[in-house]
Amino acid sequence: MAKPKTTYTIIDVETTGRGNKITEISIFKHDGEKVLEEFTSLVNPQALIPDYITALTGIDNALVADAPTFAEISEAILSITEDSIFVAHNVNFDYNVIRNEFKAIGGDFRRRKLCTVRLSRTLFPGFRSYSLGKLCNSLEITLVDRHRARGDAEATVTLFEKLLGHEHSDTVFADFLKKGSKEATLPSHLPSAIFEGIPNGPGIYYFKNKKGKIIYVGKAINLKKRVLGHFYDKKEKELNLCRETAHIDFELSGSDLVARLMEDAAIKHHFPIYNQAAKRVPKPYAVFSYEDRQGIQHLAFNTLKATPNPLQIFHSIRDCRLYLEQVCEQFELCPKYCHLQENVWTCSHYKLTTCKGVCRDEESVMAYNERVGLAIDYMANSNQNLVLKEKGRHVEEEAFVLIKNGLYLGYGFIEKSEQIVNTEDLETFLIPQKETTEVQGILRKLLLQSSSVETLEFQSH
């Protein structure tokens, strides 16, 4: 029995931009030699088309007002693409837009896919740009009605035929279609060699656009795995990020803590457009003390803005409570007077059971206040000078984080063979950094888990 001939559907969609709702779709079914069938249609996106999209494509709200909705043409799309390989220029964009449209109407759309950008990079190397317009110009392909679905799809058909006609097309196409191949997953502008060069260790990574501008900074325990995760993510923000990514740089950190600190510094330095969440300033909270009418010394917390003489500052209310719980337990204080329990006559905390009875008149106020004073001294002086030890970027190296006089100074890397006696010796290897609210939050959370913190042991001469 003869093997069924492979068919391809070359597809282009135009969208509303924000939200990526389809406004026009064009599909050419191809058997590897000629076009067998065509389906082209305007689509009513049931959403407003922004002016800048109309300026680019010529498609406005009036033009699509009487066009069918995606739901109305979905069966035609399923039919023409059935058992065919989905082909597009920057395939992940068109493919995911269509998948999301099917998902919105309760359907599912899955096809094998090929990207003419990545195929062109491999079979026609050396061009400065692989955008459809510039590639068509380089290969002398006629392109009419640019940024309209049929015009772009028709030009992609001609490009695809040139790719099919290349002497190495059989091998390259087979490699790209292998199950598990990353070729269809990587952003179209990103050469495979760049991704393959990313290590599996901890560190930070930089996504850059075609102009070399940093558009996103992230951190990971496993750089390669985390970067690949971006390419599998189908959220609109991730799709747009991957479309713009043309290069990825990285820096190894040796540990998650140093990676977090490096990431924060890089974001504050470069302000990448896709790191919006990291730019938000969290509301700070603080611990303070006061004396009530009975002379009992309280520990309490509130927003920093409303806190007189803060003893410790935090960047989430959860961290604030966790710290107070730790102090309450360590100095055998009363959860009621540490404001870890409200509206109770006597404390009955589910976890903190070290209260000596000041809330039940079983301990004198003077004795209780003495321990509160010790707790206040502890908070005022804790972690003023600290060197945190972390793994280095290789086996012969260690990393450190330096806190001096309560201020984060930065991190550094040092060979294990170096002889270090004091913090002044360490400062030779320090990479100075600024303390930010995010850094304070990162270090505070770590220091709350004091049992997991390892300090650097100095070697003597």
Side-chain angles (χ1 to χ4, degrees):
M1 186 175 178
K3 186 179 178 181
K5 194 168 188 178
T6 301
T7 59
Y8 308 89
T9 40
I10 295 96
I11 301 174
D12 187 80
V13 298
E14 300 301 328
T15 74
T16 57
R18 186 177 302 156
N20 282 334
K21 302 296 290 182
I22 295 176
T23 58
E24 189 174 39
I25 185 169
S26 186
I27 304 173
F28 288 85
K29 191 164 188 175
H30 202 286
D31 68 356
E33 296 177 0
K34 61 184 182 300
V35 172
L36 303 175
E37 187 181 349
E38 177 192 346
F39 174 82
T40 298
S41 177
L42 287 165
V43 182
N44 185 338
Q46 300 177 294
L48 289 176
I49 301 171
D51 290 341
Y52 74 93
I53 293 292
T54 297
L56 181 69
T57 66
I59 301 172
D60 60 18
N61 296 299
L63 188 61
V64 299
D66 297 322
T69 64
F70 184 83
E72 291 170 332
I73 63 171
S74 59
E75 287 302 321
I77 294 170
L78 286 172
S79 177
I80 194 172
T81 62
E82 188 175 11
D83 297 324
S84 287
I85 295 168
F86 187 112
V87 181
H89 204 70
N90 190 10
V91 71
N92 286 333
F93 174 75
D94 300 81
Y95 183 80
N96 287 315
V97 165
I98 292 174
R99 277 206 72 187
N100 288 337
E101 290 279 19
F102 272 103
K103 188 176 180 181
I105 61 172
D108 191 26
F109 183 83
R110 296 178 188 275
R111 302 288 187 266
R112 299 168 75 198
K113 54 186 176 176
L114 284 170
C115 180
T116 52
V117 176
R118 301 200 69 78
L119 287 168
S120 298
R121 280 183 175 277
T122 302
L123 294 172
F124 303 139
F127 291 121
R128 291 187 63 185
S129 172
Y130 287 84
S131 68
L132 185 60
K134 291 182 179 177
L135 191 57
C136 285
N137 186 56
S138 299
L139 295 172
E140 298 181 348
I141 295 171
T142 302
L143 175 54
V144 295
D145 289 335
R146 182 75 172 109
H147 296 302
R148 288 298 297 267
R150 191 179 191 282
D152 287 354
E154 198 168 31
T156 306
V157 168
T158 306
L159 171 61
F160 189 67
E161 289 173 342
K162 285 183 177 288
L163 291 164
L164 282 168
H166 193 282
E167 62 177 324
H168 298 302
S169 64
D170 287 348
T171 303
V172 172
F173 274 52
D175 285 345
F176 278 36
L177 286 168
K178 279 179 184 174
K179 190 174 181 179
S181 169
K182 296 186 180 73
E183 291 297 340
T185 305
L186 300 182
S188 59
H189 298 295
L190 182 69
S192 301
I194 298 296
F195 174 75
E196 294 303 330
I198 299 172
N200 294 108
I204 63 171
Y205 55 93
Y206 304 86
F207 279 21
K208 296 182 176 180
N209 63 16
K210 287 187 284 188
K211 294 181 179 179
K213 183 178 180 180
I214 294 171
I215 57 176
Y216 183 79
V217 176
K219 71 95 189 171
I221 293 292
N222 185 320
L223 285 168
K224 179 169 281 188
K225 185 178 180 180
R226 179 67 190 95
V227 167
L228 188 61
H230 283 283
F231 307 148
Y232 282 114
D233 198 318
K234 306 308 177 190
K235 296 186 186 74
E236 183 184 347
K237 176 188 169 183
E238 294 288 346
L239 293 175
N240 291 335
L241 169 62
C242 293
R243 284 183 75 193
E244 292 187 45
T245 299
H247 188 75
I248 300 174
D249 279 338
F250 63 87
E251 291 182 64
L252 289 171
S253 66
S255 71
D256 181 55
L257 172 61
V258 176
R260 287 173 180 271
L261 299 173
M262 291 169 70
E263 178 193 38
D264 180 74
I267 291 171
K268 298 296 188 299
H269 182 72
H270 298 287
F271 291 103
I273 59 172
Y274 284 96
N275 283 102
Q276 292 297 327
K279 296 178 189 177
R280 297 194 200 107
V281 178
K283 183 188 290 186
Y285 290 82
V287 175
F288 65 99
S289 67
Y290 71 92
E291 187 177 298
D292 67 16
R293 291 178 181 178
Q294 297 173 278
I296 298 174
Q297 197 76 19
H298 289 238
L299 294 179
F301 60 93
N302 205 337
T303 60
L304 179 60
K305 191 175 181 180
T307 301
N309 304 316
L311 296 166
Q312 289 281 347
I313 298 171
F314 301 84
H315 299 283
S316 79
I317 196 166
R318 179 177 177 274
D319 287 349
C320 205
R321 288 186 64 89
L322 283 173
Y323 183 75
L324 260 182
E325 285 180 9
Q326 175 192 313
V327 171
C328 183
E329 185 172 28
Q330 183 174 342
F331 292 92
E332 300 179 306
L333 304 182
C334 176
K336 174 185 174 181
Y337 295 127
C338 289
H339 292 259
L340 297 168
Q341 279 191 293
E342 301 287 354
N343 302 316
V344 294
W345 288 105
T346 60
C347 69
S348 56
H349 197 276
Y350 75 100
K351 184 172 71 172
L352 303 172
T353 58
T354 53
C355 175
K356 294 188 176 183
V358 66
C359 59
R360 299 183 297 274
D361 295 325
E362 295 173 3
E363 181 186 28
S364 71
V365 171
M366 183 181 295
Y368 180 76
N369 284 350
E370 186 176 337
R371 291 199 308 283
V372 176
L374 293 173
I376 290 171
D377 289 341
Y378 165 79
M379 285 188 278
N381 298 311
S382 63
N383 304 319
Q384 290 296 300
N385 295 288
L386 198 60
V387 181
L388 305 180
K389 178 182 175 182
E390 294 290 317
K391 287 183 179 179
R393 296 162 297 185
H394 53 80
V395 294
E396 298 301 323
E397 181 182 74
E398 287 178 335
F400 66 91
V401 176
L402 182 59
I403 299 168
K404 196 170 183 179
N405 298 322
L407 184 67
Y408 165 68
L409 297 185
Y411 58 85
F413 302 97
I414 185 168
E415 294 292 324
K416 290 180 179 178
S417 58
E418 289 288 340
Q419 299 294 305
I420 301 296
V421 178
N422 51 44
T423 56
E424 285 69 27
D425 292 343
L426 274 182
E427 288 178 27
T428 305
F429 304 93
L430 184 71
I431 302 170
Q433 301 293 325
K434 292 180 180 178
E435 183 170 275
T436 67
T437 54
E438 286 78 14
V439 163
Q440 289 171 352
I442 291 166
L443 294 175
R444 176 70 62 204
K445 189 168 289 188
L446 178 77
L447 295 172
L448 280 172
Q449 304 162 349
S450 56
S451 61
S452 65
V453 177
E454 187 177 2
T455 56
L456 192 66
E457 294 181 7
F458 298 127
Q459 299 178 21
S460 59
H461 287 292

